[in-house]
Amino acid sequence: MPGKGPQPTALALDAPNPLPRLRSSSTSSSPLEWIPVVSLEVQCSVEHFQDGLVDLVLQPEHSSSTILRADVLADDELDSPSGSGSEELAPFLEGYRCVRRLRRRILPNRPQFDWAMEQECLFYQRRVDPEDGADDSNETPEREGLVVLLPDFEQLRQEDPQGRLPYYHPQVHALAFRYLPSSSRSSPASLRIDLVPLPSQPAVVAPLAQSDRLFRTALVLVKFTAKLCTGHADGWQKRVHHDLLVGKEEVQDLYQKLKDKYNADIAPHSPRITFRWMLASWRESTDATKHVFEDVAIAAWLMVLWREMYAESDGRPPGGFVDVGCGNGLLVFILNAEGYNGYGFDLRARKSWSAYSPAPDLRVSSIHPPSLVASCHSDPSTSAYPPGSFLIGNHADELTPWLPLLAACTPQSAFLNIPCCLHELHGRFDRQVYTIPEAFLSALPAPPPASSPSPATDLPTHPLLHPFYAPTPLALSSTASGPSVTGGRYAAYQLYLAHLTLRCGFVPEREALRIPSTKNFGMVGRRRLYEGMGEKGEERVWEELESVLREVERRGEWRARKPEGKAGDKDH
């Protein structure tokens, strides 16, 4: 059933506004004919079209799940008219001026099936003269926008002997995204896709059949492009910012390396659990696919974070890591197998623990957080965990809010908290709104000077912008008692954890992790709030910890949650 609003229209070969012929990049100088494919009416300007196409070019993974990402190899602004030297960087198209040339390398999401490819992304403009008789003397001349995508077939032959295009790319010699301004006040502008077929393809005749793969691909692309362009026209701003604490490329590359490593079987004399075993012989009642790839992604993210944090100790926490409430233990297994010292503990052993090979350090242990924190306070020589430990709370349930306190009781420690079920220090968290007192926010270090973020993406200049220094996806707003959030219970819970993190003397930093989970926000405590204050700073932290313990005491004795029914089989 067609959706609401304008629908794409298949174009005939004689559709108006044909593109000038494209001069081939091969040894043959024969110009190549464009084939019109599909058009869609839009309510946006050429500037919105350009912003939307930049998004499409820089982040092709948003339009295709078979693409991992695109790395930018070159980005040149061209201000000289076509025909006066810019042909060396961009093919000449009569009547059009190339204003930007961006070269990208597209990486596949499935390298076992596809291969990387390089591509020229060329941004053109053309002034549209008013129709004869029209009185446009008081209006800015309309401009036509054009973005041409040209695969580098020479480079493709280095990736594939036959020089074939990978599956994730339309099987065409060139692809054109066009913005055609309205021809009159009563008609809207339109987006349009034209293509140049591969020389090896049978004769392509427009209109393409709706069952043709090229037509179906063009249909998806024109709809997605329209969504991007009209989004910019409507003032859309990115709500969730990823990769604030570590680089996207580093994490994705390591994630792919780990996936490749654990996908492969190894010699019998060196047994090791592989994904084949994990997915086929998963011993828990939960979804194997979700947990396997989620924990691999978390492991990759942590390993990259640790490279920066612990550069002086070969990218490893000096005291090892401690996975608090480790559940199925898979994250501990992966980190141990990759040479990271540390252990995980939980209330009970899981079915998977005995099957891992080589065996990770998994322990059955029950802790009473209030007593542990109190004993560390009464005897400063004691420590909750080995000094220099990195604590991990990966869906640690009722232990989640205690993680900052346990880290505060561990010298030179840091932590990552990935909250799932919403627990307070005592009982369930059920508030829809949470406010962080201004006194705690004023203790935060000043962010670095603004670096002029890109207007197209409105990227934050520092991780601490999330969620405390500016309006954010959490709908942060100032109130008489300090900033608060009204973005729902999970959003309010993040501020609650951030407040606890501040009370425990850490600077809270939030990251949207690239994991297959709806609860994908991680909160990191790696920097001390009272850096350089020495004993005075420690006293402030212990005063807060004492206050926290008194609050818990007033609400009754803290107890670990008892699993109910099938909840006892849960592995997180």
Side-chain angles (χ1 to χ4, degrees):
M1 182 178 178
K4 295 180 179 179
Q7 296 299 306
T9 303
L11 297 175
L13 190 60
D14 61 351
N17 303 304
L19 276 173
R21 290 181 173 186
L22 177 72
R23 191 164 296 280
S24 173
S25 57
S26 65
T27 53
S28 168
S29 60
S30 303
L32 302 175
E33 291 279 6
W34 290 93
I35 305 293
V37 183
V38 66
S39 178
L40 177 61
E41 292 179 356
V42 288
Q43 298 289 340
C44 68
S45 68
V46 68
E47 288 79 16
H48 302 135
F49 167 79
Q50 291 166 342
D51 290 341
L53 265 292
V54 169
D55 291 345
L56 183 73
V57 166
L58 295 181
Q59 299 173 320
E61 66 272 18
H62 291 171
S63 61
S64 172
S65 61
T66 57
I67 294 175
L68 179 65
R69 70 169 188 270
D71 291 340
V72 176
L73 305 179
D75 191 357
D76 303 307
E77 297 287 343
L78 309 176
D79 53 9
S80 60
S82 296
S84 61
S86 61
E87 308 102 325
E88 296 180 5
L89 291 176
F92 173 71
L93 288 172
E94 186 176 355
Y96 290 83
R97 182 168 65 92
C98 188
V99 295
R100 184 176 183 181
R101 172 247 183 188
L102 192 150
R103 185 176 180 87
R104 65 179 180 174
R105 180 176 177 82
I106 305 175
L107 302 178
N109 206 21
R110 305 177 302 169
Q112 67 272 34
F113 300 114
D114 283 328
W115 47 93
M117 67 169 287
E118 293 183 14
Q119 187 180 60
E120 295 288 326
C121 307
L122 306 167
F123 291 72
Y124 293 86
Q125 287 184 2
R126 182 174 79 91
R127 175 175 170 172
V128 178
D129 294 325
E131 294 181 358
D132 292 340
D135 183 12
D136 288 336
S137 57
N138 295 324
E139 296 183 6
T140 302
E142 292 277 10
R143 286 178 294 143
E144 178 184 330
L146 168 66
V147 177
V148 176
L149 306 184
L150 292 173
D152 186 333
F153 288 94
E154 291 296 327
Q155 176 270 330
L156 275 172
R157 278 186 274 274
Q158 298 174 17
E159 300 281 348
D160 177 73
Q162 301 177 39
R164 297 174 301 167
L165 286 161
Y167 177 82
Y168 57 77
H169 190 278
Q171 303 299 297
V172 296
H173 181 87
L175 193 66
F177 293 81
R178 307 179 63 187
Y179 172 84
L180 301 175
S182 59
S183 57
S184 66
R185 295 180 185 274
S186 58
S187 62
S190 63
L191 286 179
R192 174 167 153 177
I193 291 182
D194 292 34
L195 61 84
V196 174
L198 290 169
S200 58
Q201 287 176 326
V204 178
V205 179
L208 298 180
Q210 293 190 9
S211 59
D212 190 297
R213 183 187 167 198
L214 277 179
F215 181 80
R216 287 185 283 113
T217 301
L219 201 61
V220 170
L221 286 175
V222 78
K223 289 179 179 178
F224 185 74
T225 305
K227 182 179 178 181
L228 292 176
C229 299
T230 55
H232 281 283
D234 294 338
W236 174 86
Q237 290 186 344
K238 188 174 176 64
R239 297 187 62 196
V240 177
H241 296 278
H242 296 80
D243 317 308
L244 298 174
L245 306 185
V246 296
K248 168 184 173 182
E249 293 78 10
E250 282 186 280
V251 174
Q252 285 185 333
D253 291 346
L254 180 56
Y255 175 63
Q256 190 61 57
K257 183 179 177 181
L258 291 175
K259 283 206 304 181
D260 292 344
K261 178 177 180 179
Y262 288 93
N263 263 331
D265 293 325
I266 58 175
H269 65 270
S270 179
R272 184 193 69 199
I273 296 299
T274 64
F275 288 158
R276 182 176 301 176
W277 177 91
M278 294 178 196
L279 296 175
S281 306
W282 188 247
R283 299 192 177 189
E284 309 295 339
S285 60
T286 48
D287 180 4
T289 304
K290 175 184 182 297
H291 283 292
V292 167
F293 294 108
E294 180 175 318
D295 284 357
V296 172
I298 293 171
W301 190 88
L302 277 171
M303 291 158 68
V304 174
L305 178 74
W306 289 345
R307 286 176 189 171
E308 177 189 333
M309 286 182 61
Y310 305 114
E312 296 180 357
S313 53
D314 196 28
R316 285 161 168 73
F321 68 86
V322 181
D323 192 341
V324 177
C326 63
N328 60 43
L330 180 57
L331 180 58
V332 178
F333 163 69
I334 296 169
L335 292 172
N336 281 173
E338 290 303 306
Y340 292 83
N341 293 325
Y343 67 93
F345 70 87
D346 213 311
L347 278 170
R348 62 181 180 85
R350 300 299 197 270
K351 297 174 185 177
S352 301
W353 287 16
S354 60
Y356 291 130
S357 176
D361 189 349
L362 297 169
R363 309 174 186 180
V364 176
S365 177
S366 176
I367 65 170
H368 189 270
S371 299
L372 186 55
V373 174
S375 65
C376 291
H377 179 40
S378 61
D379 183 1
S381 65
T382 62
S383 173
Y385 298 104
S389 294
F390 190 98
L391 309 187
I392 302 169
N394 178 18
H395 298 180
D397 294 342
E398 68 272 20
L399 292 179
T400 296
W402 286 96
L403 208 68
L405 284 86
L406 297 174
C409 296
T410 304
Q412 294 87 49
S413 67
F415 67 88
L416 166 66
N417 226 342
I418 306 175
C420 179
C421 300
L422 279 53
H423 292 271
E424 293 194 42
L425 291 167
H426 196 297
R428 289 275 186 173
F429 181 92
D430 56 8
R431 286 172 267 187
Q432 296 293 325
V433 177
Y434 193 83
T435 299
I436 299 179
E438 189 63 46
F440 287 98
L441 295 177
S442 62
L444 281 167
S451 58
S452 50
S454 164
T457 54
D458 193 29
L459 290 175
T461 56
H462 193 270
L464 294 182
L465 283 171
H466 293 266
F468 307 115
Y469 284 138
T472 72
L474 291 181
L476 194 64
S477 61
S478 295
T479 65
S481 57
S484 64
V485 62
T486 57
R489 201 156 64 99
Y490 184 61
Y493 187 60
Q494 292 178 62
L495 281 189
Y496 168 75
L497 291 180
H499 184 197
L500 274 178
T501 301
L502 287 163
R503 295 181 74 177
C504 294
F506 291 94
V507 175
E509 297 176 278
R510 194 183 71 147
E511 179 75 287
L513 302 171
R514 297 177 183 274
I515 57 177
S517 175
T518 55
K519 305 293 177 62
N520 64 338
F521 283 102
M523 190 162 295
V524 175
R526 57 175 174 167
R527 298 171 182 157
R528 299 288 169 163
L529 192 61
Y530 307 115
E531 198 73 47
M533 291 182 63
E535 291 184 5
K536 197 170 181 181
E538 290 181 17
E539 286 175 8
R540 292 182 67 171
V541 171
W542 281 115
E543 285 173 6
E544 281 301 322
L545 294 183
E546 286 178 358
S547 174
V548 168
L549 292 177
R550 286 195 297 269
E551 292 170 17
V552 174
E553 232 176 86
R554 283 196 297 270
R555 299 185 63 177
E557 184 182 354
W558 185 91
R559 297 187 182 189
R561 173 179 57 92
K562 272 191 177 181
E564 298 175 2
K566 292 186 178 180
D569 294 328
K570 288 174 63 178
D571 50 356
H572 276 308

